Amino acid sequence: MTYDEMVCTAAADGISVMEKPLAGNDGRILGSRIAIRKDIETTTEKSCVLAEELGHYYTSYGTITDQAVTSNRKQEYRARLYGYNIKIGLKGLVDAYEAGCRNLSDICDYLDVTEDYLRSALACYRSKYGRQAVMGNYVICFEPCLAVGKI
């Protein structure tokens, strides 16, 4: 989903998304209000931030800023995974492969994500699924590098 599509989807769920001058964070959430740092350069970067904030909305509760607390780290992981699945997901990796994407740059362009975001998502998927995952008739290998193939 693009940034604008995510904003519309959020609005349909009663979540307001506003761009504001934020110091120290790219995004913040309070209740059903999400603030995205106004001076983020691209809508691609904004969409990655918004995906994680939506992940917090749908999966987190309370203040989880103290990452020394185990339950807060778990909530942060769930929120990030939720965001990765909004923007990428195993299906997105397969769709990118089917669209002819064969390198990270092409996949990023196809999925409208930054390379850092894609790399973080792949690391998260690797920790969740292990070295590979199966999606329908496709196998997605995360090690030693990303590879998608039809079974």
Side-chain angles (χ1 to χ4, degrees), residues 82-140:
Y82 192 97
Y84 295 146
N85 287 334
I86 289 173
K87 290 293 295 173
I88 302 167
L90 297 180
K91 183 176 181 337
L93 295 172
V94 168
D95 290 347
Y97 171 80
E98 283 295 313
C101 301
R102 297 297 185 263
N103 60 51
L104 289 184
S105 179
D106 289 345
I107 295 168
C108 289
D109 289 343
Y110 181 82
L111 296 173
D112 189 37
V113 297
T114 65
E115 191 167 322
D116 285 342
Y117 192 80
L118 179 59
R119 287 183 189 279
S120 295
L122 294 174
C124 184
Y125 292 151
R126 188 172 33 256
S127 74
K128 179 177 180 173
Y129 298 109
R131 297 187 74 186
Q132 64 186 27
V134 174
M135 171 75 182
N137 294 328
Y138 294 87
V139 64
I140 303 163

Side-chain angles (χ1 to χ4, degrees), residues 36-88:
I36 303 296
R37 187 167 51 85
K38 188 176 189 171
D39 60 350
I40 294 176
E41 291 186 21
T42 67
T43 57
T44 297
E45 290 173 275
K46 288 178 184 181
S47 74
C48 295
V49 172
L50 179 54
E52 182 174 334
E53 296 307 321
L54 288 170
H56 284 293
Y57 177 81
Y58 291 112
T59 68
S60 303
Y61 58 91
T63 301
I64 64 168
T65 53
D66 183 358
Q67 290 296 294
V69 177
T70 301
S71 64
N72 291 353
R73 286 193 309 274
K74 288 179 180 180
Q75 286 190 72
E76 184 67 32
Y77 174 83
R78 277 194 305 271
R80 286 190 179 170
L81 179 60
Y82 192 97
Y84 295 146
N85 287 334
I86 289 173
K87 290 293 295 173
I88 302 167

Side-chain angles (χ1 to χ4, degrees), residues 14-35:
I15 306 164
S16 65
V17 178
M18 295 174 284
E19 294 184 20
K20 296 191 166 234
L22 296 176
N25 295 315
D26 287 339
R28 300 282 297 179
I29 184 167
L30 180 62
S32 62
R33 294 177 297 165
I34 294 175

